[in-house]
């Protein structure tokens, strides 16, 4: 009996060992099957098999890694990130789970979710673990820029080109940082060198365009941004920048076309560049007195980002247009209608207009007191009335120019009427001088009187 008992015990132990060994041998085979399925592009089948392995051993981090990879290749990045994070926290890296490859993939995944601080940590590890890989330094430089550390970024880019001297992207990035820090000669040198290395590296033209635009070489900047559009990453940015060049050159129709194209490139409408495109488009509409269209753009921007530049102030500035048709007509009517409106305002001011001339952002009227208008033999005292319809506050320089022109025209007094406001310096300069400043609120009152006559 004792012998039989020993035999049974030994048999149980042998069978147990066989099962354990069998499982340990089967696991790598199953993992190899997952890898094979991924190579064949059968991502869902690979994920299913990886889940089966995990169901039997939740701590099989090789299976977690390949499950994450299957999710990523299948476009399910959120699920992929969960698996990669679990591997990062628990896995022991070896030949079957290489750390460098994993960290490159994990960093890329983190970057796609704008988790730049975490991605930066991964690239810092990679620069130490794989110091001869120039791309790791380039990626670290890009993230440093996004995190506002241009000094750190410049160091990474320089390290990148010390490893890969012909890396056009890195030379272009160095050039742009030098441009931002006002080292213009060195910046242009880097950008020109980047283009000489690779004329098809169109991102270089984007940075060169920025440099030329800042140097007021608008024609050169426009040509550079034309080429930059061939890079999908920079296409929207280049369109917005080229549009701002057109705005500087007062070619607003061209600017509007580019900005509309830039907006259409972002289907979700959430990118910061899209908000800038809408902002500059609103500016074009404002300058061409298409105020309703400008308000529409500001409202869209405000719905996406309440704190974007001065959009809230712009909406507040024009909120009266929703209820005040007179002010709206003043701002949006044609030049011919505008002249007639200004003549009506003159009447509300108890003047009789004698001569009207269109000017930039408005017009000038010469007028006399209404009571003197019918007395031909009486020497009439002429007043100089400058009308503005612009969203910008009237500066001191405009007041000075108005007074000078009134004086040269032998006018006894000047009036400046605006749909906006006056700067403090303008108000201060006007004190004790023969000029009266009529800002938006007073204009609204005069329009109300004029329209009732």
């Amino acid at each position: 009996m004792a012998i039989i008992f020993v035999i049974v015990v030994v048999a149980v132990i042998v069978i147990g060992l066989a099962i354990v060994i069998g499982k340990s041998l089967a696991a790598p085979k199953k993992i190899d099957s997952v890898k094979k399925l991924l190579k064949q592009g059968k991502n869902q089948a690979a994920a299913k098999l990886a889940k089966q392995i995990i169901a039997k051993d939740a701590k099989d981090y090789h299976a977690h890694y390949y499950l994450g990879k299957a999710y990523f290749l299948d476009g399910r990045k959120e699920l992929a990130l969960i698996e990669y994070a679990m591997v990062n926290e628990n896995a022991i890296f070896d030949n079957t789970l290489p750390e460098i490859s994993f960290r490159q993939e994990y960093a890329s995944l983190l970057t796609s979710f704008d988790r730049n601080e975490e991605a930066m940590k991964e690239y810092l590890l990679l620069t130490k673990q794989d110091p001869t890989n120039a791309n790791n330094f380039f990626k670290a430089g890009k993230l440093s820029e996004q995190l506002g550390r241009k000094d750190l970024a410049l160091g990474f880019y320089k390290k990148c080109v010390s490893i890969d001297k012909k890396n056009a992207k890195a030379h272009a990035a160095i050039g742009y940082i030098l441009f931002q820090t006002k080292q213009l000669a060195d910046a242009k040198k880097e950008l020109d060198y980047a283009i000489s290395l690779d004329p098809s590296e169109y991102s270089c033209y984007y940075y060169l365009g920025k440099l030329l635009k800042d140097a007021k070489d608008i024609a050169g900047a426009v040509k550079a941004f034309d080429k930059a559009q061939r890079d999908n990453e920079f296409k929207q940015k280049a369109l917005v920048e080229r549009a701002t060049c057109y705005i500087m050159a007062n070619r607003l129709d061209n600017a509007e076309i580019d900005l509309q194209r830039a907006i259409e490139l972002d289907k979700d409408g959430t990118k910061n560049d899209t908000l800038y495109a809408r902002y500059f488009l609103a500016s074009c509409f404002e300058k061409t007195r298409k105020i309703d269209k400008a308000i529409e753009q500001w409202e869209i921007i405000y719905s996406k980002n309440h704190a974007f530049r001065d959009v809230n102030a712009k909406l507040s500035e024009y909120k009266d247009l929703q209820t005040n048709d007179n002010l709206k007509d003043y701002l949006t009517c044609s030049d011919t209608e505008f002249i007639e409106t200004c003549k009506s305002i003159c009447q509300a001011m108890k003047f009789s207009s004698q001569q009207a001339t269109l000017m930039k952002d408005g017009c000038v009227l010469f007028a006399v007191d209404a009571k003197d208008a019918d007395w031909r033999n009486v020497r009439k005292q002429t007043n100089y009335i400058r009308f503005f319809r612009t969203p910008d506050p009237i500066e001191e320089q405009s007041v000075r120019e108005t007074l000078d022109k009134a004086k040269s025209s032998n006018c006894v007094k000047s009036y400046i009427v605006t749909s906006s406001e006056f700067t403090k310096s303008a108000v201060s300069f006007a004190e004790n001088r023969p000029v009266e400043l009529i800002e938006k609120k007073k204009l609204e009152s005069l329009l109300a009187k004029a329209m009732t006559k």
Side-chain angles (χ1 to χ4, degrees):
M1 289 294 291
I3 294 172
I4 293 172
F5 177 75
V6 170
I7 292 171
V8 170
V9 171
V10 170
V12 169
I13 294 170
V14 170
I15 291 169
L17 287 171
I19 291 171
V20 171
I21 293 168
K23 284 185 177 180
S24 65
L25 292 172
K29 289 181 180 178
K30 286 186 177 181
I31 289 294
D32 287 341
S33 298
V34 175
K35 292 163 69 175
K36 186 176 179 181
L37 288 168
L38 288 174
K39 285 182 180 179
Q40 293 172 348
K42 299 176 180 178
N43 303 325
Q44 293 183 3
K48 184 177 180 181
L49 183 55
K51 286 178 184 178
Q52 291 174 1
I53 298 170
I54 292 168
K56 293 180 180 178
D57 182 3
K59 293 184 178 180
D60 189 329
Y61 296 110
H62 289 73
H64 280 289
Y65 168 61
Y66 287 109
L67 175 59
K69 199 159 192 171
Y71 282 145
F72 181 80
L73 293 171
D74 206 33
R76 293 185 284 177
K77 291 185 177 182
E78 294 88 350
L79 295 174
L81 186 60
I82 293 170
E83 298 300 326
Y84 272 72
M86 189 179 297
V87 174
N88 185 55
E89 291 174 9
N90 300 285
I92 297 173
F93 296 96
D94 53 25
N95 291 333
T96 58
L97 182 54
E99 185 172 3
I100 289 175
S101 298
F102 166 78
R103 296 208 177 281
Q104 287 173 336
E105 294 165 11
Y106 185 39
S108 176
L109 194 55
L110 288 167
T111 302
S112 69
F113 283 95
D114 292 325
R115 291 168 62 171
N116 294 337
E117 293 279 3
E118 296 169 78
M120 186 68 185
K121 291 177 183 177
E122 297 302 315
Y123 280 117
L124 287 174
L125 284 170
L126 284 165
T127 59
K128 292 179 174 61
Q129 294 172 347
D130 191 14
T132 60
N133 187 330
N135 191 53
N136 291 332
F137 289 96
F138 180 78
K139 295 284 188 180
K142 291 287 285 184
L143 285 171
S144 297
E145 273 195 277
Q146 291 170 17
L147 292 169
R149 292 293 308 277
K150 292 185 175 61
D151 54 338
L152 195 60
L154 187 60
F156 282 125
Y157 289 139
K158 286 183 175 180
K159 182 65 177 176
C160 173
V161 297
S162 73
I163 298 168
D164 179 7
K165 292 181 173 57
K166 295 187 177 181
N167 191 313
K169 284 183 181 290
H171 280 291
I174 290 170
Y176 186 49
I177 291 176
L178 292 173
F179 159 68
Q180 289 177 305
T181 54
K182 306 301 180 185
Q183 301 175 62
L184 302 183
D186 290 338
K188 192 171 187 308
K189 182 179 177 182
E190 285 288 342
L191 292 169
D192 287 339
Y193 182 58
I195 291 170
S196 72
L197 287 173
D198 186 1
S200 67
E201 186 53 65
Y202 297 110
S203 64
C204 302
Y205 291 101
Y206 173 76
Y207 297 126
L208 182 61
K210 294 276 284 184
L211 191 150
L212 294 171
K213 176 186 165 186
D214 193 62
K216 303 295 189 256
D217 181 357
I218 302 302
V222 166
K223 289 180 181 178
F225 290 132
D226 284 344
K227 293 182 179 179
Q229 289 179 58
R230 300 178 194 178
D231 186 315
N232 287 332
E233 181 184 349
F234 288 90
K235 185 171 184 176
Q236 187 184 42
K237 291 177 182 291
L239 279 167
V240 174
E241 289 291 345
R242 189 173 70 173
T244 61
C245 289
Y246 286 139
I247 291 172
M248 291 170 69
N250 203 34
R251 293 167 60 185
L252 300 183
D253 289 344
N254 298 80
E256 286 181 23
I257 292 169
D258 273 1
L259 293 168
Q260 291 283 12
R261 286 179 59 201
I263 291 167
E264 290 167 4
L265 288 174
D266 179 14
K267 292 181 180 179
D268 295 331
T270 56
K271 292 181 180 177
N272 208 43
D273 289 320
T274 307
L275 298 185
Y276 271 102
R278 290 192 181 279
Y279 183 83
F280 291 125
L281 182 59
S283 178
C284 290
F285 288 147
E286 189 180 27
K287 289 176 185 294
T288 53
R289 296 189 294 280
K290 301 171 187 173
I291 305 301
D292 287 342
K293 289 186 176 182
I295 290 172
E296 181 184 348
Q297 294 301 321
W298 289 322
E299 286 177 341
I300 293 171
I301 296 168
Y302 187 78
S303 70
K304 305 289 184 184
N305 183 350
H306 289 359
F308 192 88
R309 301 193 74 169
D310 61 344
V311 166
N312 190 31
K314 287 289 186 184
L315 288 171
S316 297
E317 180 182 339
Y318 285 107
K319 67 180 179 181
D320 293 338
L321 294 190
Q322 309 301 322
T323 56
N324 192 329
D325 289 336
N326 293 335
L327 183 61
K328 182 178 179 180
D329 289 341
Y330 179 91
L331 288 166
T332 61
C333 65
S334 67
D335 289 340
T336 302
E337 292 171 325
F338 182 65
I339 291 287
E340 294 305 314
T341 298
C342 292
K343 288 180 179 180
S344 297
I345 294 171
C346 274
Q347 289 179 348
M349 295 168 67
K350 302 189 184 311
F351 290 127
S352 175
S353 58
Q354 303 292 296
Q355 179 185 343
T357 306
L358 281 171
M359 303 281 286
K360 181 183 178 183
D361 296 325
C363 72
V364 167
L365 262 65
F366 291 91
V368 298
D369 287 343
K371 61 183 180 182
D372 296 335
D374 296 331
W375 295 87
R376 297 184 181 180
N377 296 326
V378 175
R379 187 182 178 194
K380 301 168 188 176
Q381 292 187 323
T382 308
N383 297 277
Y384 186 94
I385 308 177
R386 175 71 162 99
F387 290 89
F388 285 94
R389 50 175 177 174
T390 173
D392 302 319
I394 305 304
E395 302 281 354
E396 178 186 331
Q397 184 60 32
S398 295
V399 180
R400 287 179 180 274
E401 289 175 358
T402 298
L403 281 167
D404 289 342
K405 289 179 180 178
K407 184 178 179 180
S408 65
S409 301
N410 297 316
C411 293
V412 294
K413 189 173 180 180
S414 302
Y415 295 82
I416 302 177
V417 184
T418 179
S419 54
S420 59
E421 306 294 334
F422 294 90
T423 63
K424 288 183 179 180
S425 60
V427 173
S428 177
F429 179 78
E431 290 178 358
N432 302 317
R433 286 183 168 88
V435 59
E436 183 175 333
L437 307 183
I438 300 175
E439 37 70 42
K440 180 180 176 182
K441 290 295 182 185
K442 292 180 182 178
L443 171 61
E444 289 177 355
S445 178
L446 287 171
L447 281 166
K449 290 179 182 178
M451 295 304 111
T452 57
K453 292 186 178 182

